[in-house]
Amino acid sequence: LLGSVMHSLTYVMNEAIMIHEAVPYKANCGISGIVGCSIFLLWQLVYTRSNYEQVVNYPMEEAGTTLTVAATILFAFAFSNFIHSFC
């Protein structure tokens, strides 16, 4: 719930910045993306890394998948989003 609230507030903050500040929209989008990726990376390093067995490894074993298959799916998803960003 907290994550959803924080995510929805980014839209409100971006709109407020773009309306009331003299920040170009490309710079605002770039800064928002860098901040969002940094926060997500921090979450990955702090929470997921310390709980890897419980939140990643065990569910993968239970589903019958391997790290290679999961990494391939993740790469394909990231690549399709990369392509989509240009269309």
Side-chain angles (χ1 to χ4, degrees), residues 7-85:
H7 182 69
S8 63
L9 284 176
T10 60
Y11 294 102
V12 175
M13 289 173 31
N14 279 330
E15 185 174 347
I17 289 170
M18 288 173 53
I19 290 174
H20 300 294
E21 302 290 329
V23 178
Y25 70 93
K26 287 184 179 182
N28 187 32
C29 289
I31 292 168
S32 296
I34 289 170
V35 169
C37 285
S38 299
I39 291 171
F40 184 68
L41 180 62
L42 181 65
W43 175 261
Q44 291 293 322
L45 293 174
V46 172
Y47 177 78
T48 306
R49 183 78 172 142
S50 63
N51 296 299
Y52 181 79
E53 289 296 321
Q54 180 183 359
V55 299
V56 177
N57 201 33
Y58 179 71
M60 280 180 28
E61 288 176 359
E62 197 173 72
T65 192
T66 64
L67 187 58
T68 304
V69 171
T72 302
I73 292 170
L74 182 61
F75 176 77
F77 184 67
F79 184 71
S80 68
N81 281 324
F82 175 74
I83 297 298
H84 177 70
S85 70

